[in-house]
Amino acid sequence: MIPFWGVGTDDDSSALFDEADLNGDRVLSFEEFATLVNRRFGW
């Protein structure tokens, strides 16, 4: 789950999911999530 402070609106969260789902399978794997978090938040 992405923290509420990192998303914004429902449209923002949908766009964030689409950006994170690198292989387009509509399932967010840990690797896809970690890639997005590293890119977006620098963790």
Side-chain angles (χ1 to χ4, degrees), residues 1-17 40-41:
M1 185 168 129
I2 299 172
F4 72 91
W5 45 261
V7 176
T9 67
D10 287 346
D11 288 339
D12 293 338
S13 63
S14 181
L16 182 62
F17 180 88
R40 192 165 267 229
F41 300 107

Side-chain angles (χ1 to χ4, degrees), residues 30-43:
F30 178 77
E31 290 79 13
E32 290 170 328
F33 174 77
T35 298
L36 179 72
V37 168
N38 282 334
R39 205 171 48 230
R40 192 165 267 229
F41 300 107
W43 292 347

Side-chain angles (χ1 to χ4, degrees), residues 19-32:
E19 178 185 343
D21 185 22
L22 299 175
N23 63 4
D25 66 355
R26 305 297 298 161
V27 174
L28 192 59
S29 70
F30 178 77
E31 290 79 13
E32 290 170 328

